[in-house]
């Protein structure tokens, strides 16, 4: 677990920095520097582009991770990487033609409720295309076990550029129209930088030749499109469908609430950058004992971190709302439900990596597609009736159901599950802390209230985990810190 912990730690820091910048953008810059309508438009563009992304990649970002470690000959590797660059053209070319000849049709569909969306079809397409090849080049570097720079580009670079652009809008240096064009440019630039870094690690062969197992590769990629699309639908369809039923400013309100809850995914996003290729390697080498160990350890570690982040968000949400414009303060139920889905995702550990890199990926893809259909139907029924809360309930029901299916399927096929007695201990501790600190409030400035409450909860949480020795990782980190502190305190006496 050395490489896992080392890169997870680095990725966690990078991801937290990215989410810190994202928090400034989402909670303060967007909400104060753009109108609600323009912020809603940005949310629709990015959410729709994200829905398009897995189709344009042709599943290559997952295929690259699954098959790369199975090649032993360097020439075979180069032929494989070559194929990974060209395979997405099977969907990119038809989508480009459809977008060109069907621009008005697509625009009318997107603008059914909000007319202002109609003129941004090509913005959506080019952002989706840039997202697609970025993910491919990101997987390219992940298989070399070098995920930190890619994580920086994904989590920090784009958000930092957007923050600068928002400040320029605020001071009337650029117009909103130029901001939206520059937004597309940021995603294209990010993709180009990622390509250059990927090729610096391993450049593909200029001579095109199909790898020996190209048939299996293409079949896997074609099927994984369904899985990738289903996963993105579960994450983004709510914002897309809100645009179809409600005024566009509601998409902005919902996007803010979702972002607050999405902070919970920081540890998962960081850890999965390295556990995904490592899981593929363990499956290819049929090392089931290490796979079981990684499964349980990743689940417990992510639950410990994600659980406390969820608790801190919920217990400090009212104070956070006091720092934001009044219009954005009504999403407590949305934050709670979406946040709970992120904690449930963390409990799965590396389940997704196990399923999508195993021989059982077809079944889970079918389940994912069925569930994507269910979540669309749930949004169709609940959004008109309950608005933003309806979208949150649809997402919660769908993801909770899908996660239950995935855990059951891994157990059925691999005879292992991610839970231990320590998982129950962490759950009870989180419930106890939530019950106690829910009734404890301070009468200072909101930022000071959040800081004081978070420190109290964090100290108690880490202390109990340390004393109960729930996680070896947590125990070793705290022990190392205490031993260093003790050494420093004794140094003058020596």
């Amino acid at each position: 677990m050395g490489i896992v912990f080392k890169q997870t730690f680095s990725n966690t820091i990078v991801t937290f920095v990215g989410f810190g910048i994202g928090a400034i953008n989402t909670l303060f810059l967007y909400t104060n520097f753009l109108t609600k309508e323009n912020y809603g438009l940005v949310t629709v563009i990015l959410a729709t582009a994200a829905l398009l992304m897995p189709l344009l990649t042709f599943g290559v970002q997952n295929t690259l991770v699954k098959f790369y470690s199975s090649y032993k000959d360097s020439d075979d590797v180069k032929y494989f990487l070559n194929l990974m660059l060209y395979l997405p053209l099977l969907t990119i070319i038809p989508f480009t033609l459809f977008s060109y000849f069907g621009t008005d049709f697509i625009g009318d569909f997107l603008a059914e409720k909000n007319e202002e969306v109609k003129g941004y079809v090509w913005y959506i397409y080019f952002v989706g295309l840039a997202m697609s090849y970025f993910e491919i080049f990101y997987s390219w570097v992940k298989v070399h076990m070098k995920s930190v720079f890619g994580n920086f580009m994904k989590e920090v670079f784009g958000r930092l550029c957007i923050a600068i652009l928002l400040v320029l809008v605020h001071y009337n240096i650029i117009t909103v129209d130029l901001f939206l064009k520059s937004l597309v440019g940021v995603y294209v630039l990010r993709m180009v930088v990622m390509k250059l870094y990927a090729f610096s690690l391993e450049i593909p062969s200029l001579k095109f030749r199909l790898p020996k197992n190209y048939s299996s590769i293409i079949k896997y990629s074609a099927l994984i499109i369904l899985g990738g699309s289903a996963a993105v639908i579960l994450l983004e369809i709510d914002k897309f469908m809100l645009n179809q039923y409600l005024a566009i400013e509601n998409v902005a309100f919902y996007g803010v609430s979702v972002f607050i809850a999405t902070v919970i995914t920081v540890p998962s996003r960081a850890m999965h950058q390295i556990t995904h290729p490592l899981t593929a390697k363990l499956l290819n080498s049929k090392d089931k004992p290490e796979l079981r160990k990684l499964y349980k350890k990743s689940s417990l570690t992510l639950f410990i971190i994600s659980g406390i982040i969820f608790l801190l968000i919920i217990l400090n949400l009212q104070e956070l709302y006091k720092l934001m414009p009044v219009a954005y303060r009504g999403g407590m139920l949305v934050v709670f439900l979406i946040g709970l889905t992120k904690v449930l995702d963390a409990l799965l550990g590396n389940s997704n990596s196990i399923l999508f890199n195993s021989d059982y990926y077809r079944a889970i893809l079918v389940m994912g597609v069925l569930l994507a259909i269910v979540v669309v139907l749930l949004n169709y029924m609940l959004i008109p009736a309950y608005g933003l809360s309806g979208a949150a309930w649809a997402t919660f029901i769908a993801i909770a159901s899908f996660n239950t299916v995935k855990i059951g399927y891994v157990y059925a096929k691999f005879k292992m599950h991610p839970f231990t007695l320590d998982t129950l201990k962490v759950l009870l501790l989180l419930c106890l802390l939530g019950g106690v600190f829910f009734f404890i409030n301070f009468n200072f400035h909101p930022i000071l209230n959040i800081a004081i409450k978070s420190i109290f909860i964090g100290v108690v949480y880490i202390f109990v985990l340390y004393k109960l020795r729930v996680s070896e990782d947590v125990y070793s980190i705290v022990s190392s810190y205490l031993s260093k502190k003790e050494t420093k305190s004794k140094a003058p006496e020596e």
Side-chain angles (χ1 to χ4, degrees), residues 39 265 300:
Y39 186 12
T265 66
L300 179 61

Side-chain angles (χ1 to χ4, degrees), residues 135-154:
E135 290 298 329
I136 292 169
F137 294 127
Y138 190 15
S139 292
W140 192 297
V141 303
K142 281 194 284 188
V143 296
H144 291 85
M145 301 298 172
K146 294 182 181 293
S147 60
V148 178
F149 178 77
N151 198 37
F152 170 82
M153 293 302 298
K154 183 170 186 173

Side-chain angles (χ1 to χ4, degrees), residues 53-68 80-92 132-140 142-143 217-218 220-226 228 276 357:
M53 182 269 291
L55 298 173
L56 296 180
T57 60
F58 201 78
V60 162
Q61 74 274 33
N62 292 297
T63 305
L64 213 159
V65 173
K66 176 176 172 60
F67 287 94
Y68 181 85
F80 170 70
L81 292 176
N82 242 357
L83 181 61
M84 294 299 95
L85 292 178
Y86 294 112
L87 203 54
L89 296 178
L90 292 177
T91 49
I92 289 172
S132 301
Y133 267 103
F134 175 85
E135 290 298 329
I136 292 169
F137 294 127
Y138 190 15
S139 292
W140 192 297
K142 281 194 284 188
V143 296
I217 291 170
I218 294 173
Y220 178 83
S221 294
L223 284 171
I224 213 70
I225 291 174
L226 299 176
H276 187 54
N357 289 293

Side-chain angles (χ1 to χ4, degrees), residues 207-248:
K207 184 169 70 173
F208 182 82
R209 182 181 296 177
L210 289 172
K212 297 174 184 176
N213 58 337
Y214 73 91
S215 178
S216 299
I217 291 170
I218 294 173
K219 287 178 183 177
Y220 178 83
S221 294
L223 284 171
I224 213 70
I225 291 174
L226 299 176
S229 298
V232 174
I233 285 172
L234 290 174
L235 293 174
E236 302 291 348
I237 196 65
D238 44 8
K239 293 188 277 291
F240 175 80
M241 293 188 70
L242 282 170
N243 173 63
Q244 302 299 102
Y245 291 104
L246 303 177
I248 198 165

Side-chain angles (χ1 to χ4, degrees), residues 118-129:
K118 185 174 182 178
Y120 294 93
V121 172
W122 283 104
Y123 290 61
I124 292 168
Y125 179 78
F126 282 118
V127 171
L129 184 62

Side-chain angles (χ1 to χ4, degrees), residues 93 102 133 142 232 278 281 403 425:
I93 292 173
Y133 267 103
K142 281 194 284 188
V232 174
L278 186 57
K281 189 173 182 179
N403 286 349
K425 292 177 183 177

Side-chain angles (χ1 to χ4, degrees), residues 28 30 53-54 66 77 101 110 123 130 153 168 171 181 192 229 238 241 265 314 367 410 418 425 429 446 484:
F28 305 110
Y30 272 125
M53 182 269 291
K66 176 176 172 60
V77 170
F101 291 107
L110 294 175
Y123 290 61
M153 293 302 298
L168 294 178
Y171 287 103
K181 289 183 172 68
V192 171
S229 298
D238 44 8
M241 293 188 70
T265 66
I314 298 303
M367 296 176 198
V410 170
K425 292 177 183 177
L429 176 58
K484 288 180 181 178

